[in-house]
Amino acid sequence: MSITAKTKLLAVIGDPVGHSLSPIMHNGWIADHGLDAVYVALPLRSDDPESAMRALGQFGVKGLNVTVPHKEAAARVAGVAGAINVMCWSEEGALTGFNTDGLGFMHALSEAAPDWRMRVKRVLIVGAGGAGRGIAQALSPHVDTVHIVNRTFARAEEAVAGISNARALKWEDLERGFGAADLIVQATILGMEGHAAPDWPVGLCRAGAIVADIVYRPLETDLLCAARARGLLVIDGLGMLIHQGALAFELWFGIRPDIAKARERLLAALAP
Ligand code: NAP
C-alpha cells in the first residue's frame, strides 16, 4: 500500500523509542489487513510532553502507544487517572485513553500457563512503575495476595493503595518475597540490555512457582535463565508486548490481529 495524503498515522512515543519493536509489530498487522496506515517511532524528550501529545492529536494522528516516561502525562491529557499506554482519536478528534499493559500481561500469562489460576495464590511483583502497577491491578481480583517490592519503598506504598489484597515490601525483603510467591513478575528495568541485574534469589523459589520477566531485550534475562535452570515455568516479555499491542490495534482498527504472526516477526527481529 503506498503512502498518500489519506494515510493514517500511528506512533509510539517515549524516550528512548529507538529500540521499540512496536513499529515492526503494528506495520506487520497493518499489511496483513491491507489498511491505509503507517506506524512510526517518535522520540519525545520534552519538559512539556502534554502539549506535544495534544499537538499530535491536532495533526490528525489516529493513535499512539505511550511508553516510559510519558504514561502519566498521557493519562492527564486523556483525562483519566493513573498511567495509560494507548491513545485513540476518533474521526471527529475526540480522544480516549486506555491501559492495555495489565490485560496484555494476563493474556500472555494465560497463553504460557493455561492452568495458572489453579496454581497461583500469592504473587510477587518486582517493580512499582507503570507496568508493575498495571499488572498488580489486573492480577489482584484473581489471587489471594499481591506483594509489590520496589527499590523506592514509597512508590511501592503508592502502588498498593486502593488494591485491597496488595501489600508493599521493602527491597531488603526481596528474598522473603521470592520464597513465598507462586508467581513472580519482574517489572523493573533490571536485566534489560545495559542494566545489570542483581543476583536474584531464585534458589528460594517454591517448587512449581512461575517466573515471568516483562523485559524482552534480551528475551532470556538472567532471572529467566536461573529460573529455567531450576526447572520452573518461565514466561518472557514478548507475550505481554504482543498482547498489549494486539489490544491497542483492536482499539484503533476494530480488528483482532494475528498473535502468532507477530511473534514470528518479532523473534526474527530479535535474533542476533
Ligand atoms: P517505569 O514506570 O519507569 O518504572 C521503572 C521501574 O524500574 C521502577 O520500579 C523503578 O524503581 C525500577 N528501577 C529502575 N532502576 C532500578 C534499579 N537500578 N534498581 C532497582 N529498580 C530499578 O517503567 P515501566 O513502564 O514500569 O517499565 C518497566 C520495565 O518493563 C521496562 O524494562 C520496560 O521496557 C518493560 N515493559 C515491558 C512491557 C512488555 O510489553 N513486555 C510493557 C511495559 C514495560 P524506582 O521506583 O525505585 O525508581
Side-chain angles (χ1 to χ4, degrees), residues 184-193 195-198 200 202 211-229 234-238:
I184 295 160
V185 184
Q186 197 305 111
T188 73
I189 63 167
L190 295 173
M192 231 171 118
E193 279 164 10
H195 299 276
W200 299 110
V202 173
V211 179
D213 198 328
I214 71 166
V215 166
Y216 55 84
R217 270 183 200 272
L219 211 47
E220 182 88 349
T221 58
D222 288 353
L223 171 63
L224 295 190
C225 194
R228 196 188 293 283
V234 303
I235 303 177
D236 64 44
L238 203 54

Side-chain angles (χ1 to χ4, degrees), residues 19 25 66-72 83 85 100-101 104-105 126-135 148-156 171 186-192 195-196 198 200 213-217 236-245:
H19 68 292
M25 176 165 65
V66 184
T67 186
V68 178
H70 300 315
K71 290 183 184 182
E72 279 93 5
N85 67 324
T100 63
D101 279 339
F105 176 81
V126 185
R133 287 175 193 217
I135 293 169
I148 302 183
V149 62
N150 196 55
R151 174 182 64 172
T152 310
F153 183 58
R155 245 183 138 193
W171 198 245
Q186 197 305 111
T188 73
I189 63 167
L190 295 173
M192 231 171 118
H195 299 276
W200 299 110
D213 198 328
I214 71 166
V215 166
Y216 55 84
R217 270 183 200 272
D236 64 44
L238 203 54
M240 174 176 171
L241 178 75
I242 295 171
H243 283 285
Q244 64 76 28

Side-chain angles (χ1 to χ4, degrees), residues 1 20 27 37 45 87 146 149 151-152 158 221 269:
M1 177 96 41
S20 176
N27 286 318
R45 189 169 295 174
M87 302 173 90
V146 177
V149 62
R151 174 182 64 172
T152 310
E158 274 167 35
T221 58

